[in-house]
Amino acid sequence: MKWFTAWRRRPWAGYAVVLAALAIIGVAYAGASSSADRAQASDTSASAQDVAKGKELFNQTCSSCHGPNAEGTKIAPSLIGVGAASVDFQVGTGRMPASNPGAQIPRKKPIFNKEQIQQIAAYVASLGGGPPVPSSDQVDPAHGDSALGGELFRANCAQCHNFAGSGGALTGGKYAPSLDKATPTQIYEAMITGPQAMPVFNDTTVTPAQKRAIIAYVTQTRDEPNPGGSGLGRIGPVAEGLVGWLVGIGFMVVAAMWLTARKPKKKQPND
Amino acid sequence: MTDNNDTSDATPEEEGRVPKRVIGTPAPSGTQELVPRKEPADTGGAYVLDERKARNAERVAAAFFGLSFVGGIAFIVFYAVWPGHVGNIDRATRSNYTLGISLTLVLLGIAVGLTIWVRHLVTTPEIVQERHAISSTPEDRATFNQYLQEGSRESGLGQRKLLRRTLLLATAPLGLLPLVLLRDLGPLPEKKLRHTTWKNGTRLVVDGTGLPLKASDFNSPGGIITVVPEGAEHNLDEIATGAVLLLNVPVDLLKVKKGRENWHVGGIIAYSKICTHVGCPAALYEQTTHHILCPCHQSTFDALDSAKVIFGPAARPLPQLPIGVDSEGYLIATSDFKEPVGPSFWERGRTKA
């Protein structure tokens, strides 16, 4: 530890520690958000060939958890009746196949291409019922009433996903993800299928037109510019206050240390 | 900078041998007492600047003052050229950036310049400030006591007990008068906090669309929607107390409290959306655990068990709204909430108003 004692006696050691701490906190706060590819919605026409190919893919990749006939096991639920929309959402966002069973399965780069996802979806849909993948018109934000969507979003979605869709924390390590990467189709699918902890908003409670309005609100909101520079996750005054404290007060602490530090001895004439 | 706790009484000849100490490290053995530092007498305690370095510091400080001036001019120019209040939001963004950066230059330039000035150009002679004792002289104090005793004797405060006691009596209520004035802060809320617009037959309408909801439509397990009383969809005062979280939970998992058997419709259950802690919208519902969470202070309620508090600062469950179905199949309230919604207030525990 000699080197450490020597190091911390340097005049600049104190500043270096404060700066390093600030940098670490800043980096941790900014977080490295992994980029995920957008999965596009497929159309819903499913042939017998698709179903057969889907079954093959299912057996290779999904059956170890969900069972050979998708009947479910101790570690994964039954997929009978969940429908094509659920498959398209879970596989298309890369959440399935899950890499790690934890509080919540995160979004990642999907391992299947669009066609393969459609085939698996066709197979799961063939097992019985469930909501289909929405059509591109159903999810087209250009046809949605974003004012109505905003009202519905604030009443029913904002408590978890934040008013600008930035996401937020839930209990026990679960979280409501940010909606920045979700495609309009995925937003629709999440509403009708209720993935993980998310509740279900079925079509008779929130009509398809109202869902499209919500999609219009979400997509418009994330395209809003940030007049102050960084949006800080758009979680409101909390983020701004945090930055104010860490950066502003941190800077003032460094400045105060410097100003009050004992000055080096000035040269004396008789030296 | 590290020798300000220097406890050695080293003479100038010895100084070279004494290692510099870091704040907080123990004193060198054998030097236990704090003694004043000795300054070389021939400089009169004042340090003399190295003129070459001082010139340098002067130039650097002047450069920062110059930078500050440039920033000030830039601010005025940017303000005139790019007014942020006209045009679109991109223009406002550019305006914010340019004004912010130039104003930063102004303030930072002055601050840095002044700091360099203080740190490199101001000499700091060490001086001793002679102070008088703070207390008055013994004579003054004796005289004061004497006056006080004389005054007390002459006024008769010591002898005339009746006067002394009635004077105390007269002043005691004076201290209470400001408390009485607090009454003017307003009338008590009385029944307002105990009742919402919900009553028997009020339909549940979806917040945002104002459309009534049929029990047969709200049929997905794990479903949730915010509903408000029909007729008050646009009355923010009524919604503020009457907002309700409607959930569809598995009916076989529902632990129905005694006396609340008819309060749900086949697993469709309604709780006040207003947290009983400080009134935030408690509406983060996890369909996997059936927990309702409040985003402000993480109060967590169990939707399956009459919204019992399972975590957090809330003191009581979310009030449950008794609901039923009308002749057309629409969801209705069958009465008002049976207890006040929202956070605590003083009279809450008293008998029903």
Side-chain angles (χ1 to χ4, degrees):
Chain A
M1 294 304 281
K2 240 179 179 175
W3 63 270
F4 181 73
T5 314
W7 183 86
R8 74 184 186 88
R9 285 179 185 220
R10 301 276 164 102
W12 42 262
Y15 309 123
V17 168
V18 172
L19 281 175
L22 279 175
I24 289 166
I25 292 165
V27 169
Y29 177 73
S33 61
S34 58
S35 61
D37 287 3
R38 299 278 167 94
Q40 284 306 314
S42 49
D43 55 67
T44 47
S45 60
S47 65
Q49 203 189 354
D50 283 345
V51 173
K53 275 194 179 158
K55 183 169 172 54
E56 202 178 305
L57 287 168
F58 183 91
N59 285 341
Q60 286 165 8
T61 321
C62 320
S63 58
S64 54
C65 295
H66 289 286
N69 297 306
E71 73 275 27
T73 63
K74 274 181 194 164
I75 56 166
S78 162
L79 298 185
I80 295 163
V82 302
S86 194
V87 176
D88 189 56
F89 179 86
Q90 297 284 355
V91 183
T93 60
R95 287 184 168 85
M96 288 290 150
S99 54
N100 189 9
Q104 183 155 339
I105 299 156
R107 186 187 183 101
K108 60 181 184 295
K109 192 174 159 57
I111 67 162
F112 292 113
N113 63 30
K114 192 180 147 186
E115 194 191 355
Q116 288 170 319
I117 294 169
Q118 193 205 329
Q119 287 162 349
I120 303 171
Y123 167 65
V124 172
S126 75
L127 299 172
V133 175
S135 70
S136 53
D137 177 61
Q138 270 180 303
V139 302
D140 186 358
H143 295 146
D145 174 359
S146 56
L148 171 69
E151 229 172 300
L152 288 166
F153 189 90
R154 286 188 293 273
N156 298 297
C157 320
Q159 42 264 43
C160 297
H161 287 288
N162 153 300
F163 63 89
S166 304
L170 296 173
T171 60
K174 295 188 285 295
Y175 58 89
S178 154
L179 303 182
D180 285 351
K181 289 184 180 125
T183 63
T185 305
Q186 287 164 356
I187 297 171
Y188 193 104
E189 288 165 348
M191 285 190 272
I192 47 174
T193 63
Q196 304 193 58
M198 176 160 168
V200 179
F201 298 88
N202 66 13
D203 281 347
T204 46
T205 311
V206 177
T207 64
Q210 290 165 0
K211 285 195 172 77
R212 192 163 60 186
I214 291 173
I215 291 167
Y217 172 78
V218 172
T219 51
Q220 270 184 33
T221 307
R222 66 186 174 201
D223 292 338
E224 285 287 318
N226 290 308
S230 169
L232 302 175
R234 287 182 176 157
I235 59 169
V238 175
E240 287 155 26
L242 187 71
V243 170
W245 267 95
L246 293 181
V247 178
I249 293 200
F251 180 76
M252 283 162 77
V253 166
V254 172
M257 282 167 68
W258 182 48
L259 281 174
T260 55
R262 200 173 176 85
K263 291 182 203 175
K265 272 199 175 170
K266 299 277 160 49
K267 196 178 167 159
Q268 287 162 25
N270 56 351
D271 272 2
Chain B
M1 66 167 283
T2 56
D3 60 351
N4 48 349
N5 274 7
D6 203 341
T7 54
S8 70
D9 54 350
T11 56
E13 306 91 84
E14 289 173 343
E15 208 151 35
R17 295 194 289 111
V18 179
K20 291 199 168 182
R21 287 189 53 244
V22 173
I23 302 168
T25 56
S29 57
T31 56
Q32 299 296 327
E33 285 175 52
L34 281 169
V35 288
R37 241 149 52 91
K38 287 180 182 168
E39 295 296 341
D42 52 352
T43 62
Y47 295 122
V48 177
L49 292 174
D50 175 344
E51 194 48 40
R52 198 169 50 82
K53 281 186 181 168
R55 280 256 171 79
N56 254 345
E58 189 182 354
R59 274 195 285 272
V60 174
F64 275 103
F65 291 146
L67 186 70
S68 175
F69 172 76
V70 173
I73 298 298
F75 184 92
I76 294 167
V77 170
F78 285 134
Y79 186 83
V81 176
W82 268 330
H85 54 90
V86 288
N88 58 19
I89 198 156
D90 289 326
R91 202 183 161 97
T93 305
R94 273 202 306 275
S95 175
N96 283 350
Y97 269 125
T98 51
L99 293 183
I101 290 170
S102 51
L103 192 60
T104 305
L105 282 184
V106 175
L107 299 176
L108 207 63
I110 294 174
V112 172
L114 283 178
T115 306
I116 290 172
W117 188 347
V118 169
R119 288 205 42 89
H120 294 286
L121 296 170
V122 175
T123 56
T124 51
E126 292 191 5
I127 53 172
V128 175
Q129 186 184 7
E130 303 285 356
R131 277 196 197 151
H132 297 288
I134 291 172
S135 59
S136 311
T137 61
E139 298 84 56
D140 284 349
R141 280 183 282 172
T143 316
F144 177 75
N145 274 339
Q146 196 190 333
Y147 284 160
L148 203 64
Q149 278 162 12
E150 274 174 19
S152 152
R153 211 172 28 249
E154 283 163 11
S155 65
L157 197 69
Q159 290 84 38
R160 306 208 180 273
K161 277 183 186 167
L162 182 67
L163 273 182
R164 198 174 63 203
R165 287 174 186 174
T166 47
L167 179 63
L168 280 176
L169 192 70
T171 52
L174 187 64
L176 294 173
L177 295 187
L179 287 180
V180 176
L181 293 178
L182 287 177
R183 182 67 184 77
D184 282 353
L185 284 176
L188 292 173
E190 292 169 5
K191 296 178 183 178
K192 274 186 211 159
L193 294 175
R194 297 185 183 277
H195 298 292
T196 66
T197 20
W198 293 106
K199 58 179 191 288
N200 185 16
T202 312
R203 278 183 178 168
L204 278 57
V205 300
V206 174
D207 187 13
T209 64
L211 297 175
L213 196 58
K214 278 185 171 161
S216 55
D217 287 342
F218 191 67
N219 57 3
S220 302
I224 176 185
I225 198 80
T226 298
V227 290
V228 293
E230 185 173 41
E233 304 93 288
H234 305 296
N235 186 334
L236 292 179
D237 287 343
E238 303 293 353
I239 294 175
T241 53
V244 162
L245 195 63
L246 194 67
L247 309 172
N248 188 328
V249 298
V251 69
D252 47 321
L253 295 180
L254 200 57
K255 290 180 208 157
V256 180
K257 217 172 174 178
K258 204 164 173 261
R260 294 188 178 184
E261 291 85 358
N262 301 326
W263 284 22
H264 70 98
V265 180
I268 301 177
I269 192 161
Y271 296 111
S272 167
K273 194 177 176 178
I274 301 153
C275 185
T276 51
H277 177 221
V278 285
C280 292
L284 282 74
Y285 170 66
E286 299 175 353
Q287 69 140 322
T288 42
T289 55
H290 306 292
H291 291 169
I292 302 168
L293 200 71
C294 177
C296 294
H297 305 102
Q298 283 70 49
S299 292
T300 309
F301 307 90
D302 187 355
L304 298 176
D305 192 3
S306 307
K308 190 179 78 177
V309 181
I310 49 178
F311 180 78
R316 59 184 69 79
L318 297 172
Q320 187 180 344
L321 182 72
I323 56 169
V325 177
D326 68 8
S327 55
E328 293 171 65
Y330 287 106
L331 288 165
I332 52 164
T334 56
S335 84
D336 192 5
F337 286 100
K338 301 287 187 186
E339 56 188 304
V341 300
S344 303
F345 50 96
W346 280 2
E347 307 83 357
R348 182 181 166 118
R350 289 198 204 144
T351 46
K352 294 267 155 75

